Amino acid sequence: MGHVDVVVDYDLQPYDYHPVALLVAEAGGVMTDWDGNPMWMGHNVPVVAAASAELHAKALAAVRG
């Protein structure tokens, strides 16, 4: 419903993010690990998801310090 524009989470399992990764992408958002790499099955890493590419870039910059 668009209530959250950016989510940063740590140590998610694939079953935590795979159900929403497609929804984020179909809604025009971006979801990657903290290095900006696409998510793939088997990843157990920190996640950055954002409603737009611009917000995603800002979130990545923030988590990288």
Side-chain angles (χ1 to χ4, degrees):
M1 296 189 61
H3 295 287
V4 177
D5 293 324
V6 176
V7 172
V8 177
D9 211 332
Y10 181 79
D11 199 31
L12 293 177
Q13 301 295 322
Y15 52 78
D16 293 322
Y17 60 80
H18 272 286
V20 297
L22 179 62
L23 297 174
V24 169
E26 289 296 317
V30 180
M31 188 172 190
T32 67
D33 65 16
W34 284 15
D35 292 323
N37 300 313
M39 304 306 295
W40 52 276
M41 185 56 88
H43 252 175
N44 182 16
V45 296
V47 173
V48 175
S52 70
E54 179 182 354
L55 283 173
H56 184 265
K58 289 178 182 181
L60 279 179
V63 297
R64 291 178 181 167

